[in-house]
Amino acid sequence: MKYNFLGNTGLLVSEICFGTMTFGGKGYWENIGKVQQKEVNELMKVVVDSGINFIDTANVYSFGESEKLLGQSLKDLGFNRNELVIATKVRGRMGEGKNAVGLSRYHIFNSVDESLQRLQLDHIDVLYVHGFDPRTPIEETMRALNDIVLTGKVRYIAICNWPAWVVMKAIGICKLHGWNQFVGMQYFYSLAGRDIEREILPLAADQNLAMMPWSPLAGGFLGGKYTRDNEKVEGSRRTTFDFPPINKDKTYDIIDVITEVGKQHNVSTAAIALAWVRQQPGVTSTIIGAKTVEQLNDNIKSTEVTLTEDDLKKIDEVSALPKEYPGWMVERQSADRELK
């Protein structure tokens, strides 16, 4: 297992981050997974034994159950808390109350306290804002995030699913006031969804922000089970929860290519899809999830795969984004600034 610095910080995190969205299975989250305590402990032991030190959860995963199961697992297995980096999130609705949702100062402070209780911890290492809140001023959100860090309850703050212009506005506000800034970003990134290459990844590189891709297997679609001849997979979350949205016709073409590349490396289709994400510029830690130890071990094995230039060229040819404006104009007009 390799480790990378978390953006512009001195904190090292494993190149693979273990996501716990499959823990709990409460409400509609059952479509993603319903792993309970015994199995959670089995998975967490494999995670830590493999060298993964970065664990990702969220308050909304199974409406708090994921945090509870993770917290109990840390206690049951007696892990050294100081050797793990625990991340959770704030933004989603956690109750029927008028203020039980969003990124107001009120909800952020309440949510952090509730997450700490469920996790049985005294601090959160990385707190993500889990989406955009169009009704709360960005100044209020960023001031609250700065202040929650100053309490010691949160070590670092990060961002998830915001448009690039909003992220830069928030960074500018923080620089103006001398507040704590985002250290990383968590966005959907996979061979079936390379959208962040347009604006988000360039922003992250420019501002030295860590990038943690979520759903690198596109909700399991790149896991190797789905083909044109097998569009419905029993027991797969995509069958009952078709998310995130992707161009499936194009993705079948991608699957054909990475399956062949996988045969050459003697690994699964999923391992190739994960290896591709891991090897992309700017990627810090790829978030994986699992329902079983077998799935988990296969995902971890992807760290042993190094795709060649020829592999990457083949995969890029079938998965690259079409050029859009103003990107193609910027590229065209920048040509006369290149040194000959």
Side-chain angles (χ1 to χ4, degrees):
M1 188 66 61
K2 295 180 181 178
Y3 300 85
N4 298 311
F5 286 104
L6 187 71
N8 192 29
T9 78
L11 181 65
L12 284 167
V13 295
S14 50
E15 61 185 336
I16 292 289
C17 173
F18 182 60
T20 66
M21 194 186 290
T22 60
F23 292 4
K26 187 176 181 181
Y28 68 83
W29 296 97
E30 183 179 359
N31 294 312
I32 296 171
K34 46 187 177 182
V35 181
Q36 297 303 309
Q37 196 67 62
K38 180 178 180 293
E39 291 75 24
V40 166
N41 291 1
E42 292 172 354
L43 290 169
M44 285 300 300
K45 187 176 187 310
V46 173
V47 164
V48 175
D49 286 348
S50 74
I52 295 174
N53 74 339
F54 199 6
I55 316 297
D56 181 82
T57 188
N59 57 351
V60 292
Y61 295 167
S62 288
F63 307 104
E65 287 301 307
S66 176
E67 286 183 326
K68 287 181 180 179
L69 289 163
L70 173 60
Q72 189 60 46
S73 181
L74 299 178
K75 185 176 181 180
D76 290 347
L77 297 172
F79 293 137
N80 183 346
R81 170 67 180 92
N82 293 328
E83 293 296 323
L84 298 176
V85 178
I86 308 296
T88 192
K89 306 178 185 76
V90 57
R91 163 47 178 101
R93 177 166 290 282
M94 291 300 292
E96 296 182 1
K98 300 296 184 184
N99 291 301
V101 64
L103 292 174
S104 66
R105 182 182 185 89
Y106 182 95
H107 183 62
I108 288 172
F109 271 72
N110 286 351
S111 181
V112 167
D113 284 341
E114 291 165 0
S115 286
L116 289 173
Q117 289 177 14
R118 288 189 290 264
L119 288 164
Q120 302 183 59
L121 300 175
D122 62 6
H123 74 272
I124 295 161
D125 296 304
V126 181
L127 178 69
Y128 290 96
V129 286
H130 200 185
F132 185 48
D133 177 2
R135 305 303 297 175
T136 300
I138 297 176
E139 290 83 354
E140 177 180 348
T141 296
M142 299 316 299
R143 177 60 185 268
L145 292 172
N146 175 73
D147 291 351
I148 203 74
V149 170
L150 296 181
T151 67
K153 295 178 181 180
V154 172
R155 298 290 190 254
Y156 300 98
I157 55 173
I159 186 77
C160 184
N161 302 330
W162 280 16
W165 72 267
V166 183
V167 177
M168 279 308 305
K169 182 176 181 179
I171 290 172
I173 290 169
C174 290
K175 287 182 176 179
L176 177 66
H177 294 286
W179 294 342
N180 284 280
Q181 299 178 41
F182 295 131
V183 302
M185 312 177 79
Q186 187 178 136
Y187 283 72
F188 171 48
Y189 189 37
S190 80
L191 280 167
R194 296 176 57 173
D195 307 70
I196 66 170
E197 292 175 5
R198 302 194 193 281
E199 300 287 346
I200 299 298
L201 277 177
L203 184 159
D206 181 71
Q207 295 297 309
N208 200 5
L209 297 171
M211 176 55 67
M212 280 66 70
W214 60 262
S215 204
L217 296 179
F221 204 84
L222 295 170
K225 297 178 181 178
Y226 287 92
T227 65
R228 288 183 179 83
D229 299 325
N230 189 27
E231 297 184 358
K232 297 290 184 181
V233 179
E234 188 68 29
S236 174
R237 85 186 210 193
R238 271 275 181 188
T239 302
T240 54
F241 185 63
D242 197 13
F243 182 86
I246 58 173
N247 180 334
K248 291 182 180 178
D249 286 337
K250 181 178 180 179
T251 303
Y252 285 132
D253 292 337
I254 295 169
I255 291 170
D256 289 342
V257 172
I258 61 176
T259 298
E260 286 304 311
V261 173
K263 290 177 182 177
Q264 294 169 17
H265 288 268
N266 197 29
V267 297
S268 68
T269 301
I272 297 299
L274 291 172
W276 181 87
V277 172
R278 192 189 80 248
Q279 288 183 228
Q280 295 311 295
V283 170
T284 303
S285 186
T286 305
I287 302 171
I288 62 169
K291 298 177 185 178
T292 67
V293 169
E294 181 183 17
Q295 284 181 333
L296 178 57
N297 281 326
D298 186 64
N299 287 349
I300 293 172
K301 189 177 180 181
S302 71
T303 61
E304 301 172 9
V305 178
T306 300
L307 299 174
T308 66
E309 288 187 15
D310 186 54
D311 293 333
L312 293 169
K313 182 180 179 182
K314 290 177 182 176
I315 295 170
D316 188 64
E317 285 176 351
V318 73
S319 66
L321 291 172
K323 293 183 178 181
E324 289 187 350
Y325 179 82
W328 55 258
M329 182 60 84
V330 171
E331 181 180 322
R332 182 184 182 91
Q333 292 182 320
S334 297
D336 64 359
R337 298 298 291 165
E338 296 297 323
L339 294 177
K340 302 297 184 180

